[in-house]
Amino acid sequence: MAIRVTQNMLYASSVSGMNRTLSDLMESNIQSASQLKINRPSDDPAGAGKVITLKATLKSMEIHQDNITAAQGWLSTADAILSSEGSVTTLLNRIKTLAQQISSGTYTAQNREQVSYELREDFKQLINIANSDYNGKHIFSGTKTDSPAFVMGLGVTCIDSGTGLDAVNFTASGSTDHTVIIQATSSGQADSATYRWTSDRGTTWHDVDPADIEIIDGKLRINAGDSGVSVFLDDPAAQVNAVNPDNIHSGDNGTWMYVRPTAIYQGDDNDAQVTLPYGSGTNTAAEVSAEGNFTRDVSVRIDDNDGTTVTYSYSLDDGSTWTQCKTPANAPMKMYVPGGYLNLDNQPASGEQYIIHPHRADINFAISSTDSITVNLVGKDVFGGIYKNPATGEYEVVENGGNIFEVVGDLIAAAETNSQQGVQEALAKLNDCMSVVLTKAAMVGGRENRLTMTASALSLRQFSEEDSLSKTQDVDFTELSTKLAMQQVAYNSVLKSSSMVMQMSLLNFL
């Protein structure tokens, strides 16, 4: 069967051929300009999905690499502070050398006082070091990086011939540039005894005015007159012992209180958690507690209490999702939650809610999709001093195995009051302080080594992912150049053949 080819068919066929070859040529030109063979999802749907996944992975790796760099900065700063030249270690060695000198019986009271001036300056430098920062962030303040970790304060060292003051907590307020000594001049309850004080190593003594001995908020306050300091005892009924002023100072001669420098920690800690009820309920704040190791806030809701079984739910995301549990309705009650237990003294009623809020001082940087690293140290755990216990609200001496600020404060007091025995006792404790610092330095060094290995592994992974991305989306220039040349020839051929065919008609043969 014959088919008649019309001019319209010739025209349509020519245009179609030109558009097709031009489209192929333009697509190759786009790839040549972008250097990518996938410029839109329709080019290769499967490949486009893989490209998106690879780019997301590489972006995540870039963030982790930035975190590793920042973490290395934090840790290298801490390392320098703890163990490099001019660091805590160097300063403690200097303080130890001075203590060894004045512990000798050949040193006079004047010699020890002279050394005490340098010790006070060293103490101030210790506070400066403890308040070091990295990029404007104080590295020993926990999450309170905008505030210095420590401020200068006053501490109290009590030496008593009895044992009645061992469990008494002493604090001090005010300001003084020299150690102030307060002695008990009569025995009995602390709130009814008499006292005297001196701020010049005992050269001049002053009786404490009875009006300056008072109980404030359950604590006994002894105001040392014009010295500028007051001492507080948390147990006014504690027994004190009179000092025999005719005997030289010794550990078995009555009650002595030395008010000397210390540092007050203002940052976060990892020591306690606060457990509170929401609104009114059968359990007050004093009747609620938690035990365990909690890394995040835990909310607890009482769903039902039928007298036999308590149905409750807990949430780890501020109430967005809840997990339900049951426990026997026995008072006192232990309710399991992730990390430990919520303890209630009384049976709760339906609808009551509680929150466990742990104290968190660690600053963590994500260094992979499944891992993070702590970049800071808690200042009080390194340097000691005193701090406000969040569980009790009271100021307490830090027990960290080697309290630098307390030990050096005692050393200053001993030097300023010419106590050879006090110097020797502080000298022995300086070794514990050095041990704590070296342990913390080793901890920082371990974290630095871990970061180095993580960074190396991450670089290898980045190279592998980038290579895979390149193979998926990048063009092969040799192949593309050949393809472009062939498409140009094809397009030119279409144009030429079309121009020749379109010129032909019946008129050419008449």
Side-chain angles (χ1 to χ4, degrees):
M1 173 179 167
I3 298 176
R4 181 170 176 253
V5 179
T6 65
Q7 290 295 115
N8 186 50
M9 292 175 62
L10 286 173
Y11 178 78
S13 178
S14 299
V15 171
S16 176
M18 284 188 290
N19 286 340
R20 185 175 59 255
T21 54
L22 180 60
S23 176
D24 292 341
L25 180 59
M26 290 302 298
E27 181 64 29
S28 296
N29 277 318
I30 291 173
Q31 291 181 358
S32 178
S34 66
Q35 302 181 13
L36 303 174
K37 61 185 177 183
I38 301 176
N39 291 284
R40 49 186 175 270
S42 59
D43 293 340
D44 182 356
K50 186 176 180 180
V51 167
I52 293 173
T53 301
L54 289 170
K55 285 185 175 180
T57 301
L58 284 170
K59 184 62 178 179
S60 176
M61 288 181 176
E62 289 177 9
I63 294 173
H64 293 148
Q65 187 63 62
D66 291 341
N67 287 346
I68 288 174
T69 301
Q72 287 173 328
W74 278 72
L75 291 173
S76 64
T77 301
D79 192 9
I81 289 169
L82 295 176
S83 57
S84 299
E85 187 68 26
S87 64
V88 178
T89 305
T90 303
L91 194 55
L92 282 178
N93 281 327
R94 174 58 184 167
I95 292 172
K96 186 175 179 179
T97 299
L98 294 173
Q100 289 171 335
Q101 292 173 353
I102 61 177
S103 66
S104 170
T106 60
Y107 272 68
T108 65
Q110 184 178 16
N111 296 145
R112 292 191 176 97
E113 183 181 16
Q114 291 166 347
V115 171
S116 73
Y117 293 119
E118 181 176 347
L119 289 174
R120 276 194 176 264
E121 294 305 314
D122 290 340
F123 188 91
K124 295 175 183 177
Q125 180 59 19
L126 280 172
I127 291 182
N128 288 335
I129 292 174
N131 289 335
S132 298
D133 63 271
Y134 174 72
N135 282 344
K137 304 295 184 181
H138 294 278
I139 64 176
F140 295 113
S141 294
T143 58
K144 299 178 180 178
T145 56
D146 294 336
S147 302
F150 292 91
V151 293
M152 180 76 79
L154 294 177
V156 181
T157 299
C158 179
I159 298 178
D160 183 69
S161 59
T163 58
L165 297 176
D166 289 349
V168 176
N169 185 41
F170 290 83
T171 55
S173 66
S175 176
T176 178
D177 58 1
H178 203 281
T179 300
V180 175
I181 305 175
I182 300 176
Q183 291 179 341
T185 54
S186 68
S187 300
Q189 281 195 181
D191 57 355
S192 59
T194 57
Y195 304 89
R196 67 175 186 170
W197 64 272
T198 181
S199 59
D200 56 7
R201 304 187 313 280
T203 302
T204 306
W205 288 94
H206 310 273
D207 290 331
V208 176
D209 191 323
D212 287 334
I213 304 175
E214 56 184 337
I215 296 177
I216 302 176
D217 295 331
K219 296 183 179 181
L220 178 65
R221 173 179 177 263
I222 304 173
N223 180 32
D226 297 333
S227 69
V229 302
S230 295
V231 171
F232 294 84
L233 288 73
D234 63 1
D235 183 6
Q239 296 291 312
V240 297
N241 300 284
V243 171
N244 180 358
D246 296 329
N247 291 340
I248 62 171
H249 167 255
S250 65
D252 57 357
N253 183 20
T255 301
W256 298 61
M257 289 170 274
Y258 295 83
V259 183
R260 39 70 182 173
T262 190
I264 302 172
Y265 180 65
Q266 303 181 114
D268 292 324
D269 64 84
N270 290 321
D271 296 343
Q273 59 267 341
V274 177
T275 311
L276 295 172
Y278 280 138
S280 61
T282 56
N283 290 275
T284 65
E287 296 168 331
V288 182
S289 63
E291 58 179 296
N293 181 25
F294 301 95
T295 59
R296 66 182 73 185
D297 288 354
V298 181
S299 301
V300 180
R301 179 185 67 199
I302 306 302
D303 299 326
D304 184 55
N305 185 356
D306 60 9
T308 303
T309 302
V310 173
T311 303
Y312 67 96
S313 300
Y314 63 81
S315 174
L316 304 177
D317 52 12
D318 300 321
S320 296
T321 58
W322 294 86
T323 301
Q324 195 171 80
C325 303
K326 293 185 178 183
T327 189
N330 301 322
M333 185 174 300
K334 271 176 108 66
M335 305 169 66
Y336 166 77
V337 292
Y341 295 90
L342 171 67
N343 300 321
L344 304 178
D345 287 354
N346 303 301
Q347 285 196 27
S350 177
E352 292 183 13
Q353 293 191 36
Y354 304 87
I355 184 170
I356 302 170
H357 176 66
H359 286 252
R360 297 184 291 270
D362 292 341
I363 297 175
N364 297 309
F365 285 8
I367 56 176
S368 76
S369 57
T370 58
D371 196 13
S372 63
I373 192 168
T374 302
V375 300
N376 66 328
L377 296 173
V378 179
K380 74 177 187 62
D381 295 340
V382 180
F383 301 94
I386 62 177
Y387 84 120
K388 191 173 184 178
N389 189 326
T392 63
E394 299 292 334
Y395 281 97
E396 301 176 2
V397 174
V398 175
E399 300 294 340
N400 66 333
N403 193 318
I404 296 174
F405 287 125
E406 285 287 284
V407 171
V408 177
D410 282 340
L411 178 60
I412 291 172
E416 290 180 340
T417 59
N418 191 33
S419 173
Q420 182 181 359
Q421 179 181 345
V423 170
Q424 292 172 343
E425 291 174 354
L427 177 59
K429 294 177 182 177
L430 282 173
N431 290 328
D432 295 332
C433 297
M434 184 69 76
S435 178
V436 169
V437 171
L438 294 177
T439 298
K440 298 299 182 182
M443 183 184 300
V444 170
R447 292 176 184 174
E448 287 184 295
N449 290 337
R450 178 183 167 199
L451 279 178
T452 300
M453 291 186 289
T454 302
S456 178
L458 184 59
S459 295
L460 291 175
R461 285 192 58 209
Q462 281 180 306
F463 176 79
S464 176
E465 296 290 332
E466 288 169 353
D467 182 61
S468 180
L469 178 62
S470 176
K471 291 179 179 177
T472 303
Q473 71 171 3
D474 292 348
V475 298
D476 183 329
F477 283 104
T478 302
E479 180 183 343
L480 181 61
S481 298
T482 303
K483 185 177 179 181
L484 267 172
M486 293 175 64
Q487 288 172 338
Q488 286 174 345
V489 170
Y491 183 57
N492 289 333
S493 299
V494 169
L495 289 176
K496 187 173 182 180
S497 61
S498 296
S499 65
M500 294 175 63
V501 170
M502 294 302 294
Q503 291 175 4
M504 297 178 65
S505 69
L506 290 173
L507 295 174
N508 296 111
F509 299 93
L510 293 177

